[in-house]
Amino acid sequence: MNKIINKKQFSENVFRIDIEAPMIAKSRKAGHFVIVRVDENGERIPLTIAGSDIEKGTITLVVQKIGVSSTKLCALNVGDYVADVVGPLGKATHIEKFGTVVCACGGVGTAPMLPIAEAMKKAGNKVIAVLAARTKDLVILEDEVRKVSDEVIIMTDDGSYGTKGLVTNGVESIINREKVDLCVTIGPAIMMKFVSLLTAKYNVPTVASLNTIMVDGTGMCGACRVSVGGETKFVCVDGPEFDAHKVNFDEMMSRMGAYREQEQAAFAKYKESING
């Protein structure tokens, strides 16, 4: 059982949750994730660690209400417990001094990008962050990202904040003005696909953090498999980060929708149960 120590609401469906997990807090690195089970009968959901406090023994997760499990997690309050938290899992981000690093993230992808940007900055890189969202209300962790970046560019679909346009518009504007040595992208699969297509055109090395369906998180079930450079990889143990120019995003997106009908039915049933 892991206790919720702090909770903050970013928007209607996005929450920051600090969970007591002292061993994970001590050992986690940028890029690591955990698998959370809200209750004993719940499914296992992967969530990237957005930060940790070693003294308090907590890790920070940013959760978006999408299905039953994420909605249940967001409904918990300070003092409540989740059944278990397993981690840190996956391979940590490869950090070194590359030069100029562009961190391109969309929506809640800003949360897992934060520790990566911080680590890249500490390694001596120039860090330029591009935060993209549909509207101003969905831009999260801006102040925290600014603290670890040399520059932050905000892009919104509707132009309600920052510059109107997509994340790719922001990334391309940087590439057109200066040499970019590495791009890291985290967000919806379709967003990462188009960031990858853009950076491939300019020959900018790019890393994508993939967010596939997972079950056990140890490479045994195969649910998270993706094709990278024509080879089968498991996101949970080989990733979550891969060379974006080698990822078959279309296949990945197709697999991510495999259980959409079951997920929708489960969510409808859950809403019925809470509404009486």
Side-chain angles (χ1 to χ4, degrees), residues 66-80:
I66 298 175
V68 175
S69 295
S70 55
T71 300
K72 283 183 176 180
L73 180 55
C74 291
L76 297 178
N77 294 305
V78 173
D80 291 336

Side-chain angles (χ1 to χ4, degrees), residues 2-265:
N2 299 76
K3 188 177 182 180
I4 295 176
I5 304 300
N6 188 40
K7 180 183 179 182
K8 178 180 179 181
Q9 187 166 4
F10 286 136
S11 63
E12 181 182 358
N13 294 315
V14 180
F15 296 79
R16 167 184 168 153
I17 300 174
D18 295 340
I19 296 180
E20 205 168 50
M23 297 300 291
I24 299 175
K26 285 182 181 179
S27 56
R28 71 95 196 178
K29 294 180 180 178
H32 279 147
F33 68 94
V34 293
I35 284 187
V36 178
R37 201 164 56 120
V38 180
D39 53 52
E40 292 184 358
N41 297 316
E43 65 179 335
R44 297 157 61 84
I45 54 173
L47 296 166
T48 307
I49 303 169
S52 65
D53 188 319
I54 296 176
E55 290 185 4
K56 293 181 180 177
T58 60
I59 59 170
T60 297
L61 306 175
V62 174
V63 188
Q64 182 175 17
K65 290 196 293 184
I66 298 175
V68 175
S69 295
S70 55
T71 300
K72 283 183 176 180
L73 180 55
C74 291
L76 297 178
N77 294 305
V78 173
D80 291 336
Y81 289 82
V82 297
D84 46 57
V85 180
V86 179
L89 299 171
K91 291 183 177 179
T93 305
H94 175 68
I95 304 294
E96 65 173 81
K97 188 173 181 179
F98 295 97
T100 297
V101 177
V102 171
C103 295
C105 41
V108 293
T110 304
M113 187 67 82
L114 178 58
I116 295 173
E118 182 179 15
M120 288 293 185
K121 182 64 178 173
K122 285 182 179 178
N125 294 287
K126 177 182 179 181
V127 175
I128 305 174
V130 182
L131 310 186
R134 293 195 306 276
T135 68
K136 179 181 180 179
D137 292 342
L138 298 178
V139 176
I140 65 170
L141 298 169
E142 179 187 348
D143 292 341
E144 290 84 348
V145 173
R146 287 191 182 280
K147 290 177 183 177
V148 298
S149 304
D150 294 277
E151 181 183 355
V152 175
I153 296 172
I154 307 291
M155 306 295 300
T156 51
D157 292 0
D158 62 359
S160 57
Y161 189 46
T163 302
K164 183 176 182 178
L166 303 175
V167 66
T168 46
N169 300 128
V171 173
E172 190 165 30
S173 70
I174 301 166
I175 294 173
N176 285 333
R177 77 180 193 211
E178 62 185 279
K179 182 179 184 292
V180 174
D181 299 287
L182 178 69
C183 177
V184 182
T185 182
I186 309 178
I190 189 69
M191 184 211 88
M192 293 190 289
K193 173 186 174 180
F194 281 100
V195 169
S196 174
L197 290 172
L198 172 70
T199 56
K201 185 173 74 171
Y202 290 101
N203 296 312
V204 175
T206 301
V207 173
S209 181
L210 306 186
N211 53 349
T212 54
I213 295 169
M214 290 187 195
V215 179
D216 65 270
T218 62
M220 292 190 292
C221 73
C224 67
R225 66 183 181 273
V226 291
S227 294
V228 181
E231 297 181 359
T232 297
K233 299 289 184 181
F234 297 114
V235 173
C236 63
V237 290
D238 298 319
E241 296 171 8
F242 297 95
D243 181 339
H245 298 154
K246 295 181 179 180
V247 174
N248 187 330
F249 283 103
D250 291 334
E251 179 190 78
M252 171 183 156
M253 288 186 284
S254 176
R255 286 184 52 78
M256 288 176 68
Y259 301 104
R260 188 160 291 129
E261 288 184 12
Q262 291 88 337
E263 290 168 351
Q264 290 172 345

